[in-house]
């Protein structure tokens, strides 16, 4: 949010009722920044996380992640109570705008469900690339300046990497990156790590196999950045040659002390890992290079043969949608966590909306 909130979260700030912010430019971002005035007492275990924008996975530290996951757990109870008449009103009177320039099912609907579960309302546009003023040539910045006049928070999906950061630099209300082209998808990474924690009970000391389109998959980019916050992590990259993980992410992992290895043998990796994170080959990212897409598609498939070499505690995840990269006969295996993973997206997004709009 331009000149009003910080892009990064501020873990362990005092409860909002105990302080009033004083706004001043941040040295690292001259148009943005928020500094809390002196609080009556130093931060404690009861202090509250306050978020600015949610733009990329690197912005979160472990302390912030722990609190987000704690709030997400609370949101499960809120969601369970909704059908029985105990609807939350924590975001009553607030409006969320979902601005999606690319197709979405889970991300858009889970954000809208999250807002409504908390008592808020939704303004939505689907396929904004075609059915908004973008089709007339309006810039993203002008669109954001307009929409912030109608809403309290913007959830943006865009086809260009870096679009969410541009939107956040323009807006004076919170912006959430719901996927920016082949760039990042930080809320997906948050729900992915939350799912891993719930499914196998720990985040330190795990081995993760990232499989499929690692060059264009924004979900695996964000997950790699986020899982690097934990200790003794090893990541295996399994992908066709034309969609290998990008060098900048591998360099980041190395700088964070994360061990990684590239492999062409899915069976071997599946036998070693705690998590297999499968992704589809994204045809829409190949443009006219259809020959590359056909080369990559179908090379790595999670099927009964892969299940046969996996330890019993392993979980299979997928950001969805899937095509044929996980066969449907895998769905009945208890290690198939991808639909539970999608459900967890509701709780994480409820938690983020609450933290962004009203704090803890």
């Amino acid at each position: 949010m331009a000149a009003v909130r910080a892009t990064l979260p501020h873990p362990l700030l005092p409860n909002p009722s105990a302080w009033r912010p004083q706004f001043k430019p941040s040295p690292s971002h001259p148009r943005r920044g928020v500094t809390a005035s002196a609080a009556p007492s130093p931060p404690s275990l009861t202090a509250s996380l306050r978020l600015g924008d949610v733009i990329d996975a690197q912005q979160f530290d472990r302390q912030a992640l722990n609190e987000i996951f704690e709030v997400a757990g609370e949101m499960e109870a809120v969601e369970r109570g909704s059908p029985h008449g105990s609807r939350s009103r924590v975001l009553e009177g607030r409006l969320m705008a979902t601005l999606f320039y690319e197709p979405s099912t889970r991300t858009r609907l889970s954000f809208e469900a999250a807002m409504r579960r908390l008592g808020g309302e939704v303004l939505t546009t689907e396929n904004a690339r075609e059915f908004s003023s973008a089709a007339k040539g309006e810039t993203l910045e002008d669109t954001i300046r307009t929409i912030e006049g109608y809403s309290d928070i913007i959830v943006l999906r865009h086809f260009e990497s870096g679009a969410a950061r541009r939107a956040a630099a323009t807006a004076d209300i919170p912006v959430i990156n719901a996927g920016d082209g082949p760039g990042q998808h930080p809320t997906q990474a948050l729900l992915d790590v939350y799912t891993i924690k719930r499914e196998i009970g720990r985040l330190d000391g795990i081995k993760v196999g990232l499989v499929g389109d690692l060059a264009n998959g924004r979900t695996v980019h964000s997950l790699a950045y986020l899982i690097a916050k934990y200790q003794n992590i090893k990541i295996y990259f399994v992908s066709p040659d034309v969609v290998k993980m990008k060098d900048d992410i591998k360099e980041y992992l190395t700088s964070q002390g994360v061990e990684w290895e590239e492999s062409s043998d899915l069976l071997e990796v599946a036998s070693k890992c705690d998590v297999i994170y499968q992704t589809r080959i994204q045809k829409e990212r190949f443009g006219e290079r259809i020959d590359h897409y056909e080369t990559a598609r179908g090379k790595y498939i999670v099927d009964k043969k892969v299940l046969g070499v996996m330890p019993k505690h392993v979980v299979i995840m997928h950001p969805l949608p899937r095509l044929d990269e996980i066969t449907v006969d895998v769905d009945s295996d208890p290690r198939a966590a991808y639909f539970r993973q999608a459900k967890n997206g509701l709780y994480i997004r409820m938690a983020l909306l609450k933290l962004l709009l009203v704090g803890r």
Side-chain angles (χ1 to χ4, degrees), residues 65-217:
L65 291 171
N66 288 340
E67 185 154 0
I68 291 168
F69 295 159
E70 184 178 340
V71 177
E74 296 168 4
M75 294 301 101
E76 294 191 37
V78 171
E79 188 263 345
R80 285 195 300 270
S82 293
H84 305 290
S86 55
R87 183 175 182 233
S88 172
R89 295 184 176 181
V90 68
L91 296 184
E92 190 171 43
R94 307 286 185 130
L95 280 168
M96 177 185 73
T98 54
L99 182 61
F100 278 57
Y101 289 80
E102 286 190 323
S104 172
T105 300
R106 279 150 294 275
T107 302
R108 185 172 68 88
L109 292 181
S110 65
F111 263 115
E112 293 179 5
M115 190 67 175
R116 290 196 166 105
R117 290 291 191 191
L118 291 172
E121 299 294 336
V122 175
L123 304 172
T124 186
T125 177
E126 188 178 10
N127 196 6
R129 191 173 188 176
E130 182 177 353
F131 296 119
S132 76
S133 291
K136 304 175 184 178
E138 183 174 62
T139 66
L140 175 64
E141 286 77 6
D142 283 1
T143 299
I144 294 298
R145 288 190 181 100
T146 301
I147 291 177
E148 72 173 338
Y150 310 147
S151 59
D152 300 293
I153 188 167
I154 296 172
V155 179
L156 173 69
R157 170 166 290 186
H158 203 274
F159 52 88
E160 291 181 355
S161 180
R165 189 168 296 280
R166 287 167 51 202
T170 301
D172 287 333
I173 62 174
V175 172
I176 299 177
N177 180 4
D180 57 345
Q184 286 209 45
H185 196 345
T187 70
Q188 178 71 45
L190 288 168
L191 75 89
D192 290 340
V193 174
Y194 183 67
T195 299
I196 294 170
K197 183 177 181 180
R198 286 177 57 87
E199 293 286 333
I200 65 176
R202 71 185 194 280
L203 291 167
D204 291 315
I206 65 172
K207 297 178 180 179
V208 180
L210 302 182
V211 186
D213 191 342
L214 306 187
N216 300 306

Side-chain angles (χ1 to χ4, degrees), residues 319-333:
L320 304 176
R322 68 169 165 187
L323 300 180
D324 54 4
E325 63 274 0
I326 299 178
T327 57
V328 293
D329 56 0
V330 172
D331 295 356
S332 60
D333 191 286

Side-chain angles (χ1 to χ4, degrees), residues 23-38:
F23 304 116
K24 63 180 183 181
S26 167
S28 61
H29 197 314
R31 294 189 63 208
R32 304 164 62 80
V34 55
T35 301
S37 61

Side-chain angles (χ1 to χ4, degrees), residues 41-60:
S41 59
S44 67
L45 293 177
T46 60
S48 177
L49 171 70
R50 285 179 65 86
L51 294 175
D53 306 303
V54 175
I55 303 301
D56 56 43
Q58 300 96 302
Q59 74 183 76
F60 300 101

